[in-house]
Amino acid sequence: MYQPQVGDSLDVLDTPAMIVDLALMEGNIASLMKRFRARNVQVRPHLKTVKSPDLALRLLAAGAIGGCVAKVSEAEVMVEGGIEDLLITTEIVGKPKLARLVDLLQAHPLIKVVVDSVVGARELNAAVGAAGLEANVLLDLNVGQNRCGATPGAEALDLARQIGDMEHLQLIGVQGYEGHLQHIHDQQERQQRCQQAMRALTETAEHLRTAGFPIQIVTTGGTGTAEFCADFDGITEVQPGSFVFMDTDYRNALGPVYSNALTILSTVISRPSPDCVIIDAGLKSLSTDSGMAEPKGLAQIAYQPKGDEHGALSWRNENAVGELPLQIGDRVELIPSHIDTTINLHDTYYAYRDGRIEAIWPVAARGKVQ
Ligand SMILES: Cc1ncc(COP(=O)(O)O)c(C=O)c1O
């Protein structure tokens, strides 16, 4: 089988294929970095979106101080690719995960982890202590998402005091991710609610400092809120991830702040009727948890998965009549509705400029969910 090479035209790609418009991606990264340079807040992008050390290294070259990962297995892939300053943003609980973490910490001491419970902190303390190590930890706070995180205020302070008594843990920061606000369409509402969340986060950080904890890192924010977070006094770094490629869900909420730089290239394989064609991209190529992908440049046409391997394109307006301007063999690009869950379905990025492949990157952390 022919393996696509750098320099090839996109025409050589078999489909479905995940393709990246490099000029748009570079524009997104440069634009985000510029916004935060002006604000004097560090950027620690969430690498669970890109899942690729190649892309992480590009983000570092553009000015990121390190990266976030969601899971230990993602951290394993990133350190293999040379990224050392990592924050694992999900609580690590249970012997199998702790054993993997301890292995990582032996060789990569810049990895930081979050805790939100005494039980979790005790287990972590015991595991790193048994290996003769120390771990730098951030207290994870619930700033309204109601996922993980201790309650800001007295509960957080009490937990911090107990962590402070644990010999092998160093409490160096707080994390509070306001995931529930990222896709609010009304910008004013998004900003106001983000400010409330940032107040809870920074006030708790201040209480911890007053109690004697050396809180250096106050980390938060995603693509939809990071700028509002950065404008709040006391935030030291932001964690956006989706901005690198964007998706339709974010574009619908934020408008054209960043560009949709990644698409899934597909082929029309059948034409059951003049007003419907079938493409080779279904549920295994495009996630649907945030709605349907959109055919790029075909505003009047809607996509609908037709099972694991197939998708249908038909008129968006159900009353529309007439032939679709698509024939068997045509290629169609689909803009994902949710970038993270779509990237995780693919093995390879094909990055192009002016119609030619300029880079081929494996999605090295694909499927790394442990
Ligand atoms: C803890 C944390 N930080 C940051 C992000 C980045 O968000 P986004 O990809 O929406 O920019 C996420 C995404 O879910 C997250 O879970």
Side-chain angles (χ1 to χ4, degrees):
M1 190 192 93
Y2 180 72
Q3 293 296 335
Q5 311 280 326
V6 167
D8 282 347
S9 156
L10 285 180
D11 297 343
V12 308
L13 291 178
D14 194 4
T15 62
M18 187 163 72
I19 61 173
V20 174
D21 183 323
L22 268 177
L24 294 182
M25 183 195 88
E26 288 165 359
N28 288 345
I29 295 173
S31 153
L32 181 122
M33 291 300 173
K34 192 168 157 209
R35 289 160 204 270
F36 292 98
R37 227 172 287 127
R39 287 176 162 91
N40 212 12
V41 163
Q42 309 282 8
V43 180
R44 182 185 291 283
H46 212 307
L47 304 174
K48 76 183 181 63
T49 302
V50 297
K51 282 187 163 286
S52 146
D54 297 291
L55 281 157
L57 290 172
R58 282 192 167 228
L59 288 160
L60 289 178
I65 51 158
C68 294
V69 289
K71 301 293 181 76
V72 176
S73 56
E74 277 182 349
E76 289 168 350
V77 172
M78 292 300 160
V79 296
E80 187 76 16
I83 298 98
E84 291 289 333
D85 186 348
L86 293 171
L87 168 65
I88 306 178
T89 59
T90 309
E91 281 68 11
I92 299 163
V93 170
K95 281 205 171 92
K97 289 186 203 304
L98 287 166
R100 278 174 94 159
L101 175 69
V102 166
D103 280 350
L104 264 182
L105 286 175
Q106 304 266 15
H108 307 286
L110 290 182
I111 294 176
K112 295 163 267 296
V113 298
V114 299
V115 288
D116 76 348
S117 69
V118 178
V119 175
R122 274 201 198 117
E123 278 192 16
L124 176 65
N125 183 53
V128 293
L133 300 173
E134 285 199 345
N136 286 320
V137 302
L138 277 69
L139 190 55
D140 192 16
L141 296 171
N142 176 8
V143 293
Q145 189 181 19
N146 298 332
R147 190 169 67 179
C148 293
T151 306
E155 184 186 310
L157 192 58
D158 181 51
L159 177 54
R161 289 211 165 99
Q162 299 195 59
I163 295 170
D165 291 338
M166 297 182 193
E167 218 183 321
H168 309 290
L169 303 187
Q170 296 296 330
L171 182 59
I172 60 159
V174 290
Q175 166 179 271
Y177 175 58
E178 65 297 351
H180 59 305
L181 307 179
Q182 299 304 324
H183 293 89
I184 294 177
H185 284 216
D186 183 309
Q187 180 176 321
Q188 213 178 355
E189 184 190 344
R190 194 167 2 105
Q191 180 167 18
Q192 277 167 2
R193 291 181 60 187
C194 182
Q195 285 167 345
Q196 284 169 17
M198 293 306 103
R199 198 163 298 121
L201 179 61
T202 53
E203 281 179 3
T204 302
E206 236 359 85
H207 289 155
L208 296 182
R209 287 192 190 104
T210 307
F213 294 99
I215 301 300
Q216 303 147 30
I217 300 177
V218 181
T219 185
T220 179
T223 297
T225 58
E227 284 185 74
F228 304 141
C229 301
D231 284 339
F232 207 89
D233 235 15
I235 301 302
T236 67
E237 57 176 55
V238 289
Q239 318 181 342
S242 299
F243 72 96
V244 176
F245 299 126
M246 290 296 280
D247 51 33
T248 61
D249 201 21
Y250 255 132
R251 182 212 56 205
N252 294 343
L254 309 186
V257 187
Y258 303 105
S259 307
N260 290 109
L262 180 150
T263 53
I264 304 302
L265 184 63
S266 70
T267 302
V268 176
I269 56 168
S270 182
R271 198 165 184 263
S273 62
D275 58 358
C276 176
V277 299
I278 302 299
I279 59 173
D280 58 351
L283 290 164
K284 288 184 184 169
S285 301
L286 288 153
S287 64
T288 54
D289 54 280
S290 298
M292 296 305 137
E294 284 181 17
K296 183 176 169 178
L298 297 168
Q300 309 306 320
I301 296 178
Y303 166 79
Q304 183 73 38
K306 286 280 180 193
D308 297 349
E309 318 292 353
H310 301 76
L313 300 179
S314 54
W315 294 116
R316 189 170 288 281
N317 177 347
E318 281 168 18
N319 300 321
V321 284
E323 275 197 37
L324 286 183
L326 291 168
Q327 304 300 327
I328 291 175
D330 284 354
R331 301 249 193 164
V332 179
E333 289 178 53
L334 285 301
I335 308 173
S337 51
H338 185 181
I339 197 70
D340 295 51
T341 47
T342 294
I343 289 173
N344 195 45
L345 299 171
H346 295 266
D347 287 328
T348 310
Y349 291 103
Y350 296 99
Y352 68 92
R353 204 184 306 269
D354 300 328
R356 300 238 153 241
I357 298 171
E358 190 173 304
I360 300 173
W361 302 308
V363 187
R366 174 185 185 185
K368 302 295 182 198
V369 292
Q370 293 175 331

